[in-house]
Amino acid sequence: MRSHGQKLAYSLVAASLLLGGTVSASPPAVPESGAGLQAMAKDQPFVTVPIESLKPAQAMEKPVLTPTGGQLILSDSPEMPTAPGAYYRDRVTGSFRVFYHHLNNTGAPLQIGAAVTNTSGYTVKLYEEGSGAGVDYYPDVAGQIALAAFLKDRGSKRPAAVLKPGETYWRTAEVPATHTLSGILQLRAESASGGAAPVTVTTLGYAMRPADPLAEPVLPPDRHIRGTFPHYDRTGTLVYKTSAGNSLLRVDSSPTGQWADFMPGEYEQGVDATSGAAVLNPGNYGVIYDMSVEIENDSDERRTVGVYLNPSGGSGHYTIGWGGKLLNSGFLNYTMAWQLSEFNVGRKGKTVPSRLSLTGGSAGPQTLYFTNRPFQ
């Protein structure tokens, strides 16, 4: 087994392979500056506490979330393909995001990623609006690297390709056997006049690049989910009052069953384009939550507020944007809570921007805990 340092070094190199795509007879992409989160400070300590130390905690009032952005393509089935082929395919228009998470179980190296084909009758301009990818033996490490890179890059817009009818833009990386590729790719397809244009997205794995990705047969699914969903983002406002004491909110809880504790507007029904079946995305993988966190200090004194994240449904490696900073956890399980931040608030309170999503390979829900004590 490799050391964590060796794993991380390999993953970062592998992730860099997805920074550029290829397309026949199209100009190279012109990079522009991004507008995403600042990189995490390397000296940021990974501080955890036993989850029991934060209990009892009462449930916070759930914010009403608004679905925003373009369509989300979720490709997570078959999660462990045993043969080359296509994993999912659908037609989308304008701005869209592709979340793909696949473990190479073929026994040999495989190129895995997304192919975007111009299936219209006119030239389409393709722009990149953010990307991130990670390759690792551990699926949750690959997922954390991908999400951290995407959150840092998200908000940028740069030319990716000009596609004539029938041309394809490829975005893939080499994945060794038994390794996982986790990727998030957001693109915008436009016509020459600047309007939204249609393209067909195929997620796939291959040893030799096929001449036409649309001719690749779609592999049978496993128990995981694949589908197309109406929106790729959620926005809302979360309010924490210091008078409430220890409080919690579950994010990306199960959308159905006895463990369901979702927020209004959190989940949308999608469609598996390969079968026509209605599907849900448990965990909302690929969905970015942009939440404004309002701290209301309703006491007469300054307070010190602590913010924690607990994977109450399992374990993994997690990433969150907090106050304009990008924070990454070490390995975390349901018995521990990661202290994201501690800060002081006066009578006026404080508003903190947050941005989070469930990393590929990790379990949800992600439960946020808020505590406060007198300032000293």
Side-chain angles (χ1 to χ4, degrees):
M1 183 177 293
R2 294 163 296 167
S3 69
H4 179 74
Q6 290 172 317
K7 293 194 294 92
L8 183 59
Y10 179 85
S11 300
L12 293 174
V13 171
S16 70
L17 297 176
L18 273 86
L19 291 178
T22 58
V23 59
S24 301
S26 294
V30 179
E32 296 179 349
S33 60
L37 294 169
Q38 300 177 39
M40 179 189 69
K42 293 185 178 180
D43 295 332
Q44 176 74 27
F46 176 52
V47 178
T48 62
V49 300
I51 189 60
E52 297 302 324
S53 68
L54 303 179
K55 297 178 179 180
Q58 64 177 353
M60 302 171 66
E61 182 177 351
K62 296 177 182 177
V64 177
L65 300 182
T66 301
T68 61
Q71 291 174 283
L72 170 69
I73 286 182
L74 174 69
S75 180
D76 189 33
S77 184
E79 190 173 83
M80 294 186 287
T82 58
Y87 309 138
Y88 188 67
R89 182 180 295 121
D90 198 7
R91 196 182 199 204
V92 291
T93 301
S95 181
F96 61 93
R97 181 180 300 158
V98 186
F99 176 92
Y100 44 98
H101 185 85
H102 299 281
L103 187 156
N104 177 9
N105 204 24
T106 65
L110 206 63
Q111 289 285 330
I112 296 178
V116 181
T117 305
N118 179 6
T119 46
S120 75
Y122 51 86
T123 297
V124 169
K125 295 180 179 179
L126 206 58
Y127 295 89
E128 185 175 304
E129 297 182 323
S131 66
V135 177
D136 200 88
Y137 176 81
Y138 296 97
D140 60 320
V141 173
Q144 182 184 54
I145 293 170
L147 179 60
F150 179 77
L151 291 181
K152 185 179 177 182
D153 191 46
R154 178 173 175 253
S156 62
K157 182 180 178 181
R158 49 191 178 269
V162 176
L163 301 176
K164 296 178 181 179
E167 285 190 332
T168 294
Y169 176 74
W170 298 83
R171 200 63 175 273
T172 65
E174 182 174 334
V175 183
T178 71
H179 285 56
T180 295
L181 169 65
S182 193
I184 311 174
L185 176 64
Q186 186 170 315
L187 298 169
R188 177 182 293 274
E190 296 183 358
S191 64
S193 62
V199 291
T200 298
V201 176
T202 304
T203 55
L204 73 173
Y206 58 84
M208 180 176 296
R209 178 180 291 185
D212 181 6
L214 302 182
E216 289 295 291
V218 178
L219 298 175
D222 58 19
R223 63 182 181 85
H224 296 87
I225 301 297
R226 57 187 179 190
T228 306
F229 298 84
H231 300 93
Y232 54 56
D233 281 341
R234 304 289 186 272
T235 61
T237 300
L238 172 64
V239 178
Y240 170 62
K241 297 182 179 181
T242 58
S243 59
N246 290 12
S247 301
L248 65 86
L249 176 77
R250 296 181 180 92
V251 181
D252 48 57
S253 174
S254 175
T256 60
Q258 64 173 327
W259 306 114
D261 191 24
F262 53 87
M263 293 172 274
E266 184 170 8
Y267 282 99
E268 293 183 313
Q269 183 172 284
V271 176
D272 180 348
T274 66
S275 66
V279 290
L280 289 172
N281 176 8
N284 259 350
Y285 290 95
V287 172
I288 306 300
Y289 295 74
D290 286 301
M291 292 196 294
S292 178
V293 180
E294 295 184 358
I295 310 297
E296 294 186 0
N297 181 12
D298 44 7
S299 72
D300 293 327
E301 59 182 357
R302 295 185 70 189
R303 308 290 292 181
T304 298
V305 174
V307 185
Y308 302 80
L309 186 147
N310 165 248
S312 51
S315 63
H317 283 76
Y318 298 84
T319 292
I320 187 170
W322 182 263
K325 297 293 184 180
L326 185 61
L327 307 175
N328 292 315
S329 79
F331 178 76
L332 193 66
N333 67 28
Y334 68 93
T335 68
M336 304 298 291
W338 168 33
Q339 185 179 47
L340 303 171
S341 182
E342 187 175 80
F343 52 91
N344 301 320
V345 294
R347 290 288 304 274
K348 293 183 178 180
K350 187 174 184 177
T351 299
V352 183
S354 71
R355 183 172 292 170
L356 72 160
S357 182
L358 189 55
T359 57
S362 296
Q366 302 176 90
T367 302
L368 295 174
Y369 281 82
F370 293 83
T371 66
N372 74 94
R373 54 181 169 79
F375 169 75
Q376 297 179 342

